[in-house]
């Protein structure tokens, strides 16, 4: 049965918003020191990556009409870890061409600079394109069972990068542009999910993508996970950071 583009996009974005890792594994404690948890009233909403002491990179669809609590240095969000640093977001800067689908990238300015420690570190940004078949990793505190089950600890999952043409054929009704990168897990129903939105796709130790959208069922290889390609927005990111 045919599905309209608008209806499919509704399913896609609502399926990814607040995504969580399914079919992944516990990350080694504090092995992803750039990870940020974006919270609303103490609840995980989106992920992000610390790219400057006072800036977190995330997805534009994570924008909300209020300030985020941003937690850095965490392994377990519920645990009382002395490594945690908590901030407020004071300015949300989505890409000016974000249209609810493409250009899904945003920078959050924090109310002060993070103190860099072993557990809180910056991540560099990948400035070149990710090669097809590259082995990357994405991480987050999102849904682990596609059923609103949140993890006790940070989860991570391996991601294999797909050719853009293959990704476009599988999505069909959703335009996959050159500013996007697609990936799949090694197994069926393995990938990001609700609550993972905005988290980084890490390739060769650098942030290559930002979690954007997936299918109605998390990790479904028929609809590969889609990330915003960071290298396509290098100039914009540099401009925002230099002007703030």
């Amino acid at each position: 049965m045919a599905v309209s583009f608008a209806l499919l996009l509704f399913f896609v974005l609502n399926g990814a918003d607040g995504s969580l890792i399914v079919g992944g594994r516990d990350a080694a404690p504090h092995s992803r020191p750039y990870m940020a948890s974006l919270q609303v009233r103490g609840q995980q909403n989106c992920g992000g990556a610390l790219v400057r002491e006072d800036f977190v990179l995330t997805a534009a669809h994570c924008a909300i009409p209020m300030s985020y609590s941003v937690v850095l240095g965490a392994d377990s969000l519920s645990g009382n870890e002395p490594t945690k640093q908590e901030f407020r977001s004071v300015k949300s800067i989505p890409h000016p061409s974000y249209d609810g689908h493409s250009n899904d990238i945003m920078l959050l300015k924090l109310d002060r600079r993070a103190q860099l420690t072993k557990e809180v570190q910056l991540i560099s940004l990948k400035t070149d394109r990710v090669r097809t078949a590259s082995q990357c990793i994405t991480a987050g505190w999102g849904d682990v069972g596609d059923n609103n089950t949140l993890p006790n600890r940070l989860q991570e999952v391996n991601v294999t990068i797909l050719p853009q043409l293959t990704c476009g054929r599988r999505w069909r009704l959703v335009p996959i542009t050159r500013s996007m990168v697609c990936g799949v897990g090694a197994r069926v129903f393995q990938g990001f999910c609700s609550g993972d939105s905005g988290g980084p796709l890490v390739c060769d130790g650098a942030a290559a993508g930002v979690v954007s959208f997936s299918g109605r069922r998390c990790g479904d290889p028929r609809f590969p996970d889609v990330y915003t390609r960071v290298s396509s927005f290098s100039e914009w990111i540099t401009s925002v950071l230099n002007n703030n």
Side-chain angles (χ1 to χ4, degrees), residues 1 6 32 40 45 56 58 63 73-74 77 87-88 109-110 126 129 145 149 179 197-198 204 212 216-217 241:
M1 181 173 62
R32 309 283 169 198
V40 177
N45 184 263
V56 167
T58 187
L77 295 182
F87 305 82
R88 303 295 293 179
K109 184 170 176 58
L110 306 181
K126 194 166 180 62
R129 295 177 67 85
T149 301
S179 64
S197 293
D204 301 321
S212 184
R216 291 190 65 187
R217 187 166 182 183
L241 296 180

Side-chain angles (χ1 to χ4, degrees), residues 151-244:
N152 292 324
R153 295 174 51 193
L154 180 67
Q155 300 292 295
E156 64 182 20
V157 67
N158 292 4
V159 177
T160 300
I161 303 304
L162 293 179
Q164 189 169 24
L165 184 59
T166 299
C167 186
R169 285 173 176 168
R170 293 190 189 178
W171 273 101
R172 295 191 301 276
L173 296 180
V174 179
I176 302 299
T177 70
R178 293 179 61 83
S179 64
M180 300 173 185
V181 58
C182 299
V184 293
R187 305 193 311 269
V188 176
F189 304 123
Q190 188 177 49
F192 63 69
C193 195
S194 203
D196 292 322
S197 293
L201 172 71
V202 180
C203 307
D204 301 321
V210 174
V211 172
S212 184
F213 64 88
S214 63
R216 291 190 65 187
R217 187 166 182 183
C218 300
D220 186 344
R222 294 176 301 170
F223 300 98
D225 291 342
V226 181
Y227 303 81
T228 302
R229 191 187 301 273
V230 169
S231 62
S232 298
F233 299 92
S234 296
E235 290 186 6
W236 175 76
I237 293 171
T238 299
S239 174
V240 171
L241 296 180
N242 287 344
N243 289 326
N244 287 270

Side-chain angles (χ1 to χ4, degrees), residues 2-244:
V3 181
S4 72
F5 175 79
L7 184 57
L8 177 60
L9 192 57
F10 173 84
F11 288 148
V12 166
L13 295 181
N14 281 272
D17 193 14
S19 305
L20 193 154
I21 301 295
V22 293
R25 60 186 178 273
D26 289 350
H30 307 295
S31 60
R32 309 283 169 198
Y34 46 78
M35 287 297 300
S37 169
L38 278 51
Q39 302 181 5
V40 177
R41 299 185 181 92
Q43 298 297 313
Q44 170 74 10
N45 184 263
C46 279
L50 189 67
V51 296
R52 200 174 78 178
E53 289 90 333
D54 56 346
F55 266 97
V56 167
L57 183 69
T58 187
H61 79 260
C62 288
I64 55 174
M66 63 183 74
S67 177
Y68 270 117
S69 292
V70 179
V71 178
L72 303 174
D75 178 35
S76 169
L77 295 182
S78 60
N80 186 20
E81 297 173 316
T83 56
K84 288 181 181 178
Q85 299 180 38
E86 188 166 348
F87 305 82
R88 303 295 293 179
S89 63
V90 295
K91 189 176 184 181
S92 298
I93 310 173
H95 192 275
S97 298
Y98 172 60
D99 61 4
H101 173 58
S102 58
N103 307 304
D104 188 11
I105 192 168
M106 178 170 71
L107 283 160
L108 284 182
K109 184 170 176 58
L110 306 181
D111 59 358
R112 65 188 190 282
R113 298 175 76 87
Q115 179 182 356
L116 298 185
T117 65
K118 180 182 177 182
E119 297 80 11
V120 176
Q121 292 288 321
L122 308 181
I123 189 170
S124 60
L125 302 179
K126 194 166 180 62
T127 56
D128 56 345
R129 295 177 67 85
V130 185
R131 294 181 180 178
T132 296
S134 291
Q135 298 299 304
C136 304
I137 284 178
T138 191
W141 290 275
D143 190 343
V144 294
D146 205 5
N147 57 6
N148 296 319
T149 301
L150 299 183
N152 292 324
R153 295 174 51 193
L154 180 67
Q155 300 292 295
E156 64 182 20
V157 67
N158 292 4
V159 177
T160 300
I161 303 304
L162 293 179
Q164 189 169 24
L165 184 59
T166 299
C167 186
R169 285 173 176 168
R170 293 190 189 178
W171 273 101
R172 295 191 301 276
L173 296 180
V174 179
I176 302 299
T177 70
R178 293 179 61 83
S179 64
M180 300 173 185
V181 58
C182 299
V184 293
R187 305 193 311 269
V188 176
F189 304 123
Q190 188 177 49
F192 63 69
C193 195
S194 203
D196 292 322
S197 293
L201 172 71
V202 180
C203 307
D204 301 321
V210 174
V211 172
S212 184
F213 64 88
S214 63
R216 291 190 65 187
R217 187 166 182 183
C218 300
D220 186 344
R222 294 176 301 170
F223 300 98
D225 291 342
V226 181
Y227 303 81
T228 302
R229 191 187 301 273
V230 169
S231 62
S232 298
F233 299 92
S234 296
E235 290 186 6
W236 175 76
I237 293 171
T238 299
S239 174
V240 171
L241 296 180
N242 287 344
N243 289 326
N244 287 270

